[in-house]
Each structure stands twice: as structure tokens, then as C-alpha cells.
Amino acid sequence: MAEVKPVAEASARKKEIYTYEAPWLIYGMNWSNRRNKPFRLALGSFIEEYNNSVEVVQLNEETQAFERQAEGAFNHPYPTTKIMWSPEGVAEQPSGELLATTGDYLRLWEVAEDGSIKNKCMLNNHRESEFCAPLTSFDWNETDTNLIGTSSIDTTCTIWDIETQQVRTQLIAHDKEVYDIAFASGTLPACLPATLPPCLHASLPPSFVPFHSVCVSHISLLPQGRTSSPR
């Protein structure tokens, strides 16, 4: 005979799988680092046209379902090639949290405590031209949180100072498109850009002269801080 558990005990158990059905194909996503928003998630659309979207959803632990926050969506030019919330130190600012996206340009968004979102700035390294080379990816430095590194199909990587909204330095060491970039964890702001065919260049500012190169087929970053999924 199957064991029948009391209703109260069964209802008290939390789900192990949470599902959110977005209104479009999802291309990019990232978890918030803010302690009081442990399961807040930013999602980017993949729509084959200029107008795309980003949504911010939050797990409602009472209903055990993801819900879109009030005013928690905004239009985005082209699909986001990457979405990233600010690192933990920046995430705890009283004014709210920053969200960064790439596509045609690097954009920063301010997400207030009430869930409202506004564009903080758009960083463009080709202001003298009406054309731009799409950005393929980016990474946010956890040691110096004013630094964001972007990679582009124009074969360059750019390190931005988001406080001054100026280019700190640029890496021009590839002869092919660069499809990803990652800062190393630690005290030195080292970055690792990846090209296709998959070759890796490791560089340290301010010179950004490659001192090591090795072919790779995959790259993955270990998550920082949170170590378990919602249960």
C-alpha cells in the first residue's frame, strides 16, 4: 500500500523545479547578486528583428512561482548577447542594483528597489562612425567593479571604466572575431578573451600584451557566492 502523507505535510514541501514561461525565446539570463533578492532573474529575448526585450522576474516564495516585477521590463535594441547583474559589492547599494547588457553597444540599467528600471548610460567606442561592430559578450570585474570588459566581432576587446564612462584601455591582439571575455578572480584585473577558431589570449593591463596563448574548446566561470539552487 502506498504511504499517504498528511495534506499539511505535503503542502509544506517546496518544489524542486521552478518554471517561468517567457513570451518569447530566451537568449540570455543572469541571477541577481543582491542578498534581499536571492532569486531575481533577468531574461533577454531572441526576436529576429530590431526591437527586443529584457524582463526581470522574481520568485514568489508563497506561490512558488516566478513573477514579472511591476515595471520590470524594458525594450532593448537587438537580442542581448549577454546580461549581467552588478557584482555583490555594487549590488548592495541602497539606491538599487545595476544591470548591464550588450548587443550593438554596452548599456547600463538602474533597477530601483521598487522594481522600476531606467537606462543609466550607453557606452560606444565608435562615436565617429554611424556604424557599430556588434558586441559578442562582456564580463564585470569583481575586484575593481568600475571595470567592464567587452568583446567584439571587430577583433578587439575594450575595458570600460563605467564610473567615468570612458575607455580605460583596448586589447588589439586578434586577427579574428572575439566571442567571449572573462576576468580572472583575484586581485589582478586579468582578462581572457576567446576567439574562433578557439584560441585564448591572457592579458594584464595596462600594456595588454599577450603573454600566453592556448587553444580551448569551452570556457566556464564558477558562480560566486550562492552555491545552491532554490529549494
Side-chain angles (χ1 to χ4, degrees):
M1 176 181 290
E3 179 183 1
V4 178
K5 295 186 177 180
V7 174
E9 181 182 347
S11 61
R13 295 179 60 189
K14 291 186 178 181
K15 294 191 298 183
E16 295 186 355
I17 298 177
Y18 297 83
T19 302
Y20 176 74
E21 187 172 345
W24 19 252
L25 292 176
I26 297 173
Y27 188 67
M29 65 177 66
N30 193 239
W31 291 105
S32 169
N33 291 305
R34 201 169 177 85
R35 291 189 182 92
N36 65 344
K37 304 287 186 182
F39 302 115
R40 180 160 67 175
L41 187 64
L43 306 168
S45 68
F46 182 78
I47 303 172
E48 294 186 48
E49 56 186 48
Y50 178 80
N51 295 315
N52 275 257
S53 300
V54 173
E55 281 190 351
V56 176
V57 299
Q58 173 72 44
L59 178 65
N60 184 324
E61 300 203 35
E62 291 184 0
T63 63
Q64 297 190 41
F66 278 103
E67 300 173 355
R68 197 181 86 176
Q69 294 188 302
E71 303 181 51
F74 56 89
N75 294 327
H76 193 279
Y78 302 106
T80 58
T81 54
K82 188 169 183 178
I83 301 176
M84 197 172 188
W85 293 93
S86 50
E88 189 171 348
V90 183
E92 300 303 327
Q93 298 295 326
S95 57
E97 195 171 4
L98 291 178
L99 182 68
T101 62
T102 46
D104 50 352
Y105 301 110
L106 171 64
R107 290 178 170 85
L108 292 178
W109 311 82
E110 291 180 328
V111 183
E113 277 295 299
D114 62 2
S116 61
I117 303 171
K118 67 177 182 179
N119 183 237
K120 177 180 174 65
C121 63
M122 182 188 77
L123 303 181
N124 176 15
N125 196 29
H126 300 280
R127 296 179 182 177
E128 70 285 353
S129 173
E130 60 180 306
F131 301 102
C132 66
L135 301 177
T136 55
S137 188
F138 72 95
D139 196 25
W140 207 317
N141 192 290
E142 295 181 357
T143 303
D144 185 346
T145 54
N146 286 325
L147 298 183
I148 289 181
T150 62
S151 57
S152 173
I153 65 168
D154 68 1
T155 76
T156 66
C157 293
T158 303
I159 306 300
W160 287 94
D161 186 321
I162 62 173
E163 183 175 19
T164 64
Q165 299 182 21
Q166 300 294 321
V167 173
R168 177 75 66 88
T169 191
Q170 192 170 51
L171 169 62
I172 306 175
H174 302 88
D175 55 7
K176 294 185 180 294
E177 298 89 342
V178 187
Y179 287 96
D180 206 355
I181 184 171
F183 285 106
S185 299
T187 57
L188 294 176
C191 74
L192 300 174
T195 60
L196 189 68
C199 290
L200 192 69
H201 294 281
S203 307
L204 290 172
S207 63
F208 272 90
V209 176
F211 64 85
H212 182 69
S213 178
V214 58
C215 287
V216 296
S217 59
H218 185 69
I219 183 169
S220 178
L221 296 178
L222 292 174
Q224 299 293 321
R226 187 164 57 249
T227 58
S228 61
S229 57
R231 289 182 181 270

